[in-house]
Every structure is written in C-alpha cells, then in structure tokens.
Amino acid sequence: MRLKKAVFPAAGFGTRFLPATKAIPKEMLPLVDKPLIQYAVEEAKASGLEEMIIVTGMGKTAIEDHFDTSFELEILLKEKGKLDLLNMIENVSGLVHFAYTRQKKPLGLGHAISITQNLINDEAFAVFLGDDIIDSKTPAMKQMAGVFEKYGTSILAVQKVSKKDAHLYGVIKGKKVSPGVWRVLDLVEKPRENPPSNLAIIGRYILTPGIFKALEKTAPGKGGEIQLTDALKHLLETEEIYAYEFEGNRYDAGDKLGFLKANVSFALKRADLKVEFKKFLKDLGL
Ligand code: UTP
C-alpha cells in the first residue's frame, strides 16, 4: 500500500490575505524566495510521492507556469552564464510529474478533493494544504506515511492548540492508542464552544478512496461549503480513522501573522541571509 499521489487543493480565494491575493494566488506568495506551494511539493517529493495533482481555479495560472519549463528564462540565464540560477530553475520544473484539475467554483475543500476522483481511482492518497508550512527533520508526510503503513486507514495530521484557538480548526475527539497516535472517535469543524479536545487538524491528510463516497453524502456545511471534516465524519461511519501528532514546527502561512513568523524563521536559517538579518533584528532593539 505505497502512497504515490498527492493532492494540493489551491482553488480558494485566500481572503485572509487580501489585497495581496486579488491577482496573485496565495500559493505563490514567497516564503523567503520560494512560493509557498513549492515547499509543499518538495515535502511531498521528499516523502516518496511521485504524482502531484493540483486543484486550481480562477486566477491560478501562475501556479502552472511556476512548475512548467520557461525556455526564454533558461536561454537568458545560459547566455549570461548564470548557471547556478539556471540549475535552480530547471530543478523546479523537473521536480516531479504534475497534473492539474480545475474547480470551477470554490465550493469548499471537500468539493476540491471530490473533483480529483477520476485522477486518483482506487488508491489511498496524500493531501497537502499549502498554507500549512511544516518545518521538521523528517518531512511531516513521511512521518504520516509510516503511521499509514501500520494502520492502513485514513490518517489526519493533528497538533495541540489552546482552547481559545480551537474554533479556528477542525478538532478531533480521540482515544490514544500509542505515543502521538489517536483513534478518531468524532470530529467537529470549527467548534464555537466546548471543543472535544485540544487536537486540531492541520493541513496534511492521508485519505483512503472511501472519502469519495463520503463526500457524495456530504451536504454544504459551515460557510455553505462542502467541508472535508464533515465528509470525514461520514467516513467514520464505515472506516476507522487515526490521527497523528507530527513532529515539527508548523506555520499558518495563509494568515498574515503566521506568514511573517514563517518568513523570519526561515530567513534566520538561511546561510546567505542569517548574519545580516539577525543583526537587523537585533538593531531594531525590540
Ligand atoms: P482556506 O480555508 O484556507 O480558504 O482553504 P482560502 O480561500 O484558501 O483562504 P481564506 O481562508 O479565504 O484566506 C483551505 C485550502 O483549501 C483550498 C484552499 O486553496 C486552501 O488550500 N480550497 C478551499 C479549495 O481548493 N477550494 C475551495 O473551494 C476552498
């Protein structure tokens, strides 16, 4: 049961990041010097996934261009002898195999996943929400793939959050079965009060193909959108689901503050930037 396919839902409007996201896809916002979505694709590749399926929508063509070959740019860099940059650009387009499918209307994350059914067929697959940037020694999805190998069920990435932040997430009720692993008993999307636990679902999932049937049964929920959490509740009626608390630091880069934190933290790790950048931060005298 090896995972081969990765789905990247990227058809949302990114309203939390307006006006930056009016004409530029949120997924193309740079974290230091790489677009957010490239971090997720690189995590997928480093986790052994081979086929990247990106769900795009209106105004998202920059994502396709980014992962495509750019002949003119490559010729220019060759002529100017900028071989290190050329190498970097070729690495992006040669990353892996990409397929694109278009969600005509942003009817929700669950809906975005449902339209990948004909590209997935009958196998388990990984889902990456590019907003969630996870900085970890072992790629988060690779950690999850290890749990999937053991249980063979859908696996949800979870992280502990404070009670006051629980309303921002899907939250699970679970029974701990081993260190960092819970059997999911119930899920609640963005609980207004009394969250069933402090375990919030983060943007990494391994889903069995049973999710497509569950999505068919799912009516529009919060915000009038077809919610993946609601579909997972239906999936629970027929299959077990496990949750896994991954190791690593996660940044919500779809949110302005989270995006700033991620940029500072990633810049401070960069050999070419850290000395000057650290000095700049120190000189701010905060
Ligand atoms: P978000 O809830 O972050 O929505 O979607 P959003 O539109 O991207 O951003 P905000 O909240 O308005 O700022 C979670 C993920 O699901 C995708 C988004 O692209 C994001 O990766 N998504 C959401 C879709 O692909 N289609 C949808 O209809 C909704």
Side-chain angles (χ1 to χ4, degrees):
M1 278 212 289
R2 203 167 73 78
L3 292 168
K4 286 195 300 253
K5 295 180 181 172
V7 171
F8 301 82
F13 280 143
T15 53
R16 281 173 296 159
F17 234 117
L18 282 168
T21 46
K22 186 167 174 238
I24 295 170
K26 173 173 71 172
E27 295 73 18
M28 291 304 294
L29 295 176
L31 180 43
V32 186
D33 54 5
K34 253 192 307 195
L36 292 175
I37 195 162
Q38 193 178 331
Y39 287 86
V41 168
E42 287 177 355
E43 181 188 324
K45 191 182 177 202
S47 304
L49 295 154
E50 294 159 7
E51 242 183 87
M52 312 292 152
I53 299 166
I54 303 187
V55 181
T56 67
M58 265 257 295
K60 300 279 183 168
T61 46
I63 299 176
E64 291 173 51
D65 289 343
H66 180 69
F67 291 114
D68 203 354
T69 313
S70 172
F71 285 116
E72 294 86 347
L73 179 61
E74 288 178 17
I75 288 168
L76 183 96
L77 293 174
K78 221 177 265 173
E79 278 172 5
K80 296 203 173 224
K82 299 195 168 172
L83 299 183
D84 48 344
L85 288 179
L86 177 66
N87 195 17
M88 185 200 289
I89 294 298
E90 283 175 342
N91 274 345
V92 175
S93 52
L95 265 177
V96 262
H97 180 262
F98 290 94
Y100 296 90
T101 183
R102 204 167 155 110
Q103 189 187 19
K104 288 183 190 139
K105 271 190 189 165
L107 299 176
L109 172 60
H111 180 259
I113 289 176
S114 73
I115 65 166
T116 66
Q117 183 169 11
N118 57 348
L119 295 167
I120 300 284
N121 301 320
D122 201 24
E123 58 191 290
F125 59 102
V127 176
F128 294 76
L129 305 190
D131 289 9
D132 280 327
I133 297 287
I134 302 176
D135 184 20
S136 56
K137 262 200 221 127
T138 305
M141 187 53 77
K142 196 171 183 180
Q143 299 175 39
M144 292 172 70
V147 183
F148 172 70
E149 257 172 45
K150 181 161 175 198
Y151 293 96
T153 65
S154 292
I155 310 288
L156 317 178
V158 291
Q159 193 181 41
K160 292 192 177 111
V161 296
S162 66
K163 204 169 174 186
K164 76 168 181 22
D165 287 338
H167 71 283
L168 300 169
Y169 300 88
V171 177
I172 68 152
K173 179 179 173 193
K175 180 176 183 300
K176 195 164 189 169
V177 292
S178 63
V181 182
W182 286 262
R183 189 158 77 79
V184 177
L185 304 174
D186 198 8
L187 311 104
V188 189
E189 178 65 14
K190 302 194 169 86
R192 256 189 251 268
E193 50 197 15
N194 301 326
S197 75
N198 60 352
L199 295 168
I201 304 171
I202 303 303
R204 298 287 183 277
Y205 308 79
I206 293 173
L207 299 174
T208 59
I211 195 66
F212 295 115
K213 268 236 152 61
L215 279 163
E216 278 169 23
K217 289 191 218 160
T218 307
K222 284 238 159 90
E225 295 190 344
I226 298 186
Q227 299 286 351
L228 180 59
T229 309
D230 294 342
L232 288 166
K233 263 172 99 85
H234 283 303
L235 189 64
L236 258 187
E237 292 161 10
T238 53
E239 293 180 17
E240 287 189 348
I241 300 178
Y242 286 81
Y244 170 67
E245 187 182 16
F246 57 90
E247 281 164 25
N249 288 328
R250 169 249 175 192
Y251 301 91
D252 179 4
D255 165 79
K256 286 169 200 169
L257 187 59
F259 180 79
L260 290 170
K261 286 181 187 172
N263 264 291
V264 171
S265 159
F266 277 64
L268 286 172
K269 285 184 175 202
R270 283 274 296 257
D272 56 338
L273 298 170
K274 69 177 172 197
V275 175
E276 286 270 326
F277 190 47
K278 211 174 194 171
K279 185 175 175 311
F280 167 75
L281 293 177
K282 235 183 184 160
D283 290 350
L284 288 177
L286 300 170

